[in-house]
Amino acid sequence: ETGLITLDVGFKNTGSTQSKITYLDGDLGKLYYRGYPIEQIAEKSTFTEVMYLLLEGELPTQEQLNKFEADIKKNSLVSVEMEQILKAFPRSAHPMGVLSTLTSSLTAFNPKAVNIKSEKDLYNAYTLLLGKFPVLCAWTYRLKLGLPLNYSDNRLDYPHNFYQMMFKMPTEDLEVQEVVVDAINKLLILHAEHEQNCSASTVRMVGSAHTGLFASISAGVSALWGPLHGGANQAVIEMLEMIQKDGGDLQKWVDKAKSKNDDFRLMGFGHRVYKNFDPRARVIKKVADNIFNKLGIQDETLEIAKKLEEVALNDPYFIEKKLYPNVDFYSGIIYRALGFPTEMFTVMFALGRLPGWIAQWKEMRINNDPINRPRQIYIGNPKRDYIDINLRN
Ligand code: SDX
């Protein structure tokens, strides 16, 4: 009735804010954290240093890094009541749902951290979250397997500590190979920040109402859970296993992904911004090759992934639509090689993305951005008068 055509709507290209954190060039496949190219950062930095860079804007001196790391570690104990919340969940609960709930519950147990009146308050709130979040992530895994919970071991660096919280059994020592720790470090760095993606925009949206940090991050965890976003790394493995079980006819599945009458999509392909290779996917593919060679792993899923990439990259439809592998295409294969179960892949993505979410939230609050309130294009009924129920047909 309004005579309007239905436009292509949705937050697709909106300049929703100004930011100094991340530079993305989708056509050239470039990604810079505070001006530093992701390839250099992934090669040379540590995840804790990248957290500092994203949050404070500069690479830290050794002294600054030591203090930052100490401020995080002193927050790595989680209240016992949080264990009770965790244990109220059934083992069948998806770890992302458990993580979102536990993250929001931090508000109840750290009420002071919510009243942010200064940059010091903000620093205290996010170092508290950076200390507790990896523990909560590991606990979602331990819950699923019905295993006793591990606590943070502050003598260890971040990736070693997370790995032991995930896999240490009380009955034996835990050996962890450096190639595994290096892969975890790189994966967390590569997932750490990505401009105004769906979950970061969610964190800003919720935080723009001056909702507390923990509840805002909890909303970001929920947004990341979606299979079109961070949940894609789990969906990629499920897709590759399905193709394998179906006999491995790759062209059949690529054709299905192209068909208008089929809502099947090649998970791990395509990106709203990158119309060229996702620079992270290039680095992650190298990490995959390195870890499989060093651990001597033969994984048919990795072989299928490489062949699928080859078929898709040479397919006219994918070329015309500019669909390339994204960050999620290879990450799940590595997580599996590192011993993480499929349902934990998106939790690993959230662990990596946490500093990016906090940096976006911090920038939004320091810049005093207004409450987010987008408008719409109304295509409903024109004005009409109320009809009594006994006159309706
Ligand atoms: C992440 O934004 C970020 O930065 C996200 C992220 C981050 O770091 O935070 O990079 C992480 O979420 C990576 C994306 C992970 N998701 C997937 O791998 C799921 C599969 N990919 C798609 O669903 C899709 O490509 C999206 C969601 C990633 C992007 O969707 P867009 O930009 O909205 O594109 P679209 O859905 O409008 O598709 C454009 C065309 C369509 O064809 P037409 O309707 O024009 O004919 O491309 C087709 C789509 O059908 N298409 C695909 C496809 N992705 C898009 N066809 C087959 N397989 C695919 N994967």
Side-chain angles (χ1 to χ4, degrees):
E1 289 80 16
T2 56
L4 275 178
I5 51 163
T6 309
L7 300 174
D8 180 16
V9 293
F11 262 143
K12 285 202 161 184
N13 213 3
T14 316
S16 60
T17 190
Q18 298 182 99
S19 179
K20 296 178 181 170
I21 304 168
T22 296
Y23 174 74
L24 264 193
D25 182 322
D27 294 327
L28 298 177
K30 300 227 177 282
L31 169 58
Y32 302 158
Y33 289 169
R34 298 282 188 183
Y36 296 98
I38 189 65
E39 296 81 358
Q40 293 179 30
I41 291 284
E43 193 47 47
K44 299 175 178 168
S45 190
T46 64
F47 182 52
T48 305
E49 184 178 77
V50 167
M51 290 198 260
Y52 186 99
L53 171 65
L54 292 170
L55 287 160
E56 310 306 336
E58 298 298 335
L59 287 170
T61 61
Q62 190 59 59
E63 190 188 346
Q64 289 168 329
L65 185 59
N66 295 345
K67 179 184 182 311
F68 181 63
E69 196 165 29
D71 289 342
I72 291 172
K73 289 187 170 185
K74 75 182 182 200
N75 282 293
S76 60
L77 261 185
V78 177
S79 10
V80 281
E81 296 87 346
M82 296 283 287
E83 286 186 41
Q84 287 155 9
I85 297 172
L86 174 80
K87 290 172 179 167
F89 279 97
R91 288 188 197 175
S92 56
H94 193 288
M96 285 296 277
V98 178
L99 181 62
S100 175
T101 306
L102 292 176
T103 303
S104 188
S105 307
L106 286 171
T107 307
F109 299 101
N110 305 278
K112 281 208 304 294
V114 177
N115 298 324
I116 291 170
K117 298 268 185 291
S118 68
E119 286 211 31
K120 183 88 189 99
D121 292 344
L122 184 49
Y123 179 82
N124 291 339
Y126 64 69
T127 45
L128 184 152
L129 183 55
L130 289 169
K132 297 187 188 324
F133 198 76
V135 184
L136 302 180
C137 290
W139 281 7
T140 65
Y141 171 67
R142 304 294 285 193
L143 167 83
K144 184 149 275 305
L145 276 72
L147 293 172
L149 302 179
N150 287 319
Y151 295 89
S152 182
D153 178 347
N154 288 345
R155 295 163 299 182
L156 301 174
D157 63 30
Y158 195 99
H160 275 97
N161 189 23
F162 181 69
Y163 194 81
Q164 71 85 15
M165 287 194 283
M166 280 288 294
F167 300 113
K168 173 93 179 64
M169 294 302 172
T171 48
E172 56 210 37
D173 285 340
L174 178 72
E175 287 299 309
V176 50
Q177 290 165 287
E178 276 319 300
V179 64
V180 171
V181 173
D182 178 60
I184 292 173
N185 183 56
K186 282 188 169 62
L187 284 163
L188 292 174
I189 289 172
L190 289 163
H191 286 84
E193 218 310 277
H194 212 241
E195 203 222 57
Q196 303 312 316
N197 58 84
C198 178
S199 52
S201 301
T202 302
V203 169
R204 277 184 176 256
M205 175 71 79
V206 174
S208 72
H210 287 196
T211 303
L213 177 62
F214 308 141
S216 304
I217 299 296
S218 170
V221 172
S222 297
L224 189 73
W225 190 0
L228 292 186
H229 189 16
N233 56 19
Q234 174 176 340
V236 165
I237 291 292
E238 289 161 355
M239 173 188 74
L240 293 171
E241 287 171 342
M242 174 184 65
I243 293 174
Q244 209 173 347
K245 213 178 284 169
D246 178 63
D249 176 354
L250 301 174
Q251 193 57 50
K252 166 187 164 189
W253 290 94
V254 167
D255 292 343
K256 253 172 94 69
K258 290 153 53 177
S259 157
K260 279 269 163 271
N261 316 319
D262 195 322
D263 59 6
F264 172 76
R265 286 192 164 191
L266 280 193
M267 300 314 274
F269 268 82
H271 198 277
R272 173 63 54 71
V273 176
Y274 289 125
K275 300 308 171 192
N276 191 322
F277 237 89
D278 181 333
R280 301 166 298 176
R282 283 189 207 283
V283 179
I284 286 187
K285 192 173 171 185
K286 279 193 217 140
V287 173
D289 286 337
N290 183 39
I291 196 144
F292 280 81
N293 295 336
K294 289 214 172 137
L295 295 182
I297 296 173
Q298 290 297 327
D299 182 338
E300 207 190 324
T301 315
L302 177 65
E303 294 320 308
I304 288 201
K306 286 183 175 176
K307 287 186 199 128
L308 181 61
E309 178 187 354
E310 196 57 35
V311 170
L313 290 184
N314 292 297
D315 184 286
Y317 173 91
F318 278 73
I319 294 167
E320 186 240 327
K321 298 275 178 200
K322 299 185 177 173
L323 300 174
Y324 293 90
N326 58 50
V327 68
D328 291 307
F329 187 63
Y330 282 105
S331 55
I333 296 166
I334 303 174
Y335 289 137
R336 191 165 72 169
L338 298 178
F340 294 99
T342 310
E343 276 200 332
M344 284 299 289
F345 294 176
T346 313
V347 169
M348 290 304 293
F349 194 146
L351 184 62
R353 187 52 53 91
L354 179 64
W357 285 333
I358 299 172
Q360 296 282 348
W361 193 92
K362 173 182 176 182
E363 186 175 69
M364 176 268 304
R365 288 301 299 272
I366 287 179
N367 293 351
N368 208 14
D369 283 5
I371 185 168
N372 287 1
R373 203 278 184 218
R375 293 303 310 274
Q376 62 171 22
I377 295 161
Y378 179 71
I379 55 170
N381 290 294
K383 180 180 170 300
R384 51 185 173 162
D385 295 326
Y386 184 82
I387 303 168
D388 286 343
I389 191 161
N390 50 26
L391 299 177
R392 292 173 211 157
N393 47 24

